Amino acid sequence: MTSPPRPDDAHPYLRAASAGIRHHTRALTPSDADPPRPVDRLHLDVLHAHLTALLQLLDRLADHTRPPHPAAGRHLATAHTRLWQATTEVHAAFHLLPGTPQADAETSACHPERLPEGLPVLTICQRHLAAGHVVRRKTTPTDLRPHATACVR
């Protein structure tokens, strides 16, 4: 029989993911000698994958928290909605980076066949559409509407 994990041993994968993000953030911070590097599609694709994984986690946490603690569950559901809005903006930024055709309303839609690196096995668009399907089943269109603090395109 194993003993319950100590509080500092709880959720080691989440702590490792957070440490990885902190490390990546520090690596992107320019030094005096090196100019800042531009963000590329790969950065945003990996960040989008991380955000969609967080969406799944927040969804499960809200579902498990809501019955015994409705107010806390509502806060987690609100965090889920805000994270979806952030995920949507990262997806839009991915399509506006250099390498895509002109960044106008017509070409900023999902067109994985236009990516210079070709069709990946799981594109950011496929991941985004799958996550969006789950989000829209549990969220109203009004909740998903961007708030006044969101970027205007």
Side-chain angles (χ1 to χ4, degrees):
M1 180 181 231
T2 61
S3 61
R6 296 187 340 239
D8 59 342
D9 287 334
H11 313 293
Y13 295 113
L14 281 175
R15 281 198 324 276
S18 297
I21 290 174
R22 284 191 304 273
H23 172 76
H24 190 71
T25 302
R26 283 191 301 271
L28 286 175
T29 304
S31 66
D32 293 335
D34 298 326
R37 293 181 306 195
V39 174
D40 59 13
R41 278 201 194 120
L42 183 58
H43 279 104
L44 293 185
D45 187 30
V46 173
L47 178 60
H48 187 271
H50 187 77
L51 291 173
T52 55
L54 282 174
L55 278 169
Q56 291 175 349
L57 177 61
L58 268 176
D59 189 36
R60 301 285 188 309
L61 288 172
D63 285 348
H64 291 288
T65 303
R66 193 172 291 121
H69 306 286
R74 282 192 301 274
H75 281 284
L76 290 173
T78 299
H80 182 266
T81 301
R82 301 298 179 265
L83 184 59
W84 170 249
Q85 291 167 341
T87 304
T88 299
E89 295 302 326
V90 169
H91 178 251
F94 175 89
H95 287 290
L96 295 175
L97 283 177
T100 58
Q102 309 87 303
D104 59 22
E106 182 183 16
T107 59
S108 63
C110 290
H111 296 288
E113 70 279 1
R114 294 183 187 171
L115 296 176
E117 59 272 13
L119 289 170
V121 174
L122 177 65
T123 67
I124 188 173
C125 300
Q126 290 170 325
R127 185 184 323 112
H128 195 72
L129 290 171
H133 178 72
V134 173
V135 168
R136 285 180 179 85
R137 282 189 308 164
K138 295 184 174 190
T139 313
T140 67
T142 302
D143 290 338
L144 294 176
R145 192 168 300 129
H147 296 282
T149 58
C151 295
V152 178
R153 288 182 223 150

